[in-house]
Amino acid sequence: MTTKMESNSEHINPRLIRLIKAIGTETLTRKGICGNMGVRARKNLWDNYMTPAMTQGYIKMLYSEHPNSPDQAYYLTEKGMAVYNEHKDVKIVDVAE
């Protein structure tokens, strides 16, 4: 199954948009992000969504000096907020291959 965005704007990875929309204007823990996205496996969330988004500068850790903190949470950077504001009303639909 692939994902198609219904938008006329620049193409951005739908996984990235899904993560950005799940975080939105909040600061969330991994558990909160998983809940908003409907993802059960935290490893899947981390490997497929969080790591690429942090590497590309879309999200940041709240406690970057303590990455393993049990209170760790994540928020959108300015770059992430720009994508959120541009795509918050974009509908993402699943399309069978």
Side-chain angles (χ1 to χ4, degrees), residues 18-19 21-24 26 28-46 49-50 74:
R18 184 174 176 212
L19 173 65
K21 289 174 75 170
I23 297 172
E26 301 179 73
L28 297 173
T29 63
R30 274 199 247 183
K31 185 176 181 180
I33 296 168
C34 282
N36 285 357
M37 293 180 71
V39 174
R40 289 186 176 174
R42 287 188 200 170
K43 181 161 178 34
N44 178 46
L45 173 76
W46 192 258
Y49 296 88
M50 301 290 286
Y74 303 86

Side-chain angles (χ1 to χ4, degrees), residues 51-88:
T51 298
M54 286 193 298
T55 301
Q56 295 172 27
Y58 292 101
I59 64 172
K60 278 192 157 184
M61 289 184 217
L62 184 60
Y63 306 111
S64 58
E65 65 282 356
H66 302 289
N68 297 321
S69 169
D71 298 322
Q72 189 60 267
Y74 303 86
Y75 63 94
L76 298 179
T77 62
E78 283 186 39
K79 184 177 178 180
M81 281 304 295
V83 172
Y84 174 76
N85 288 328
E86 183 179 345
H87 295 281
K88 64 185 171 188

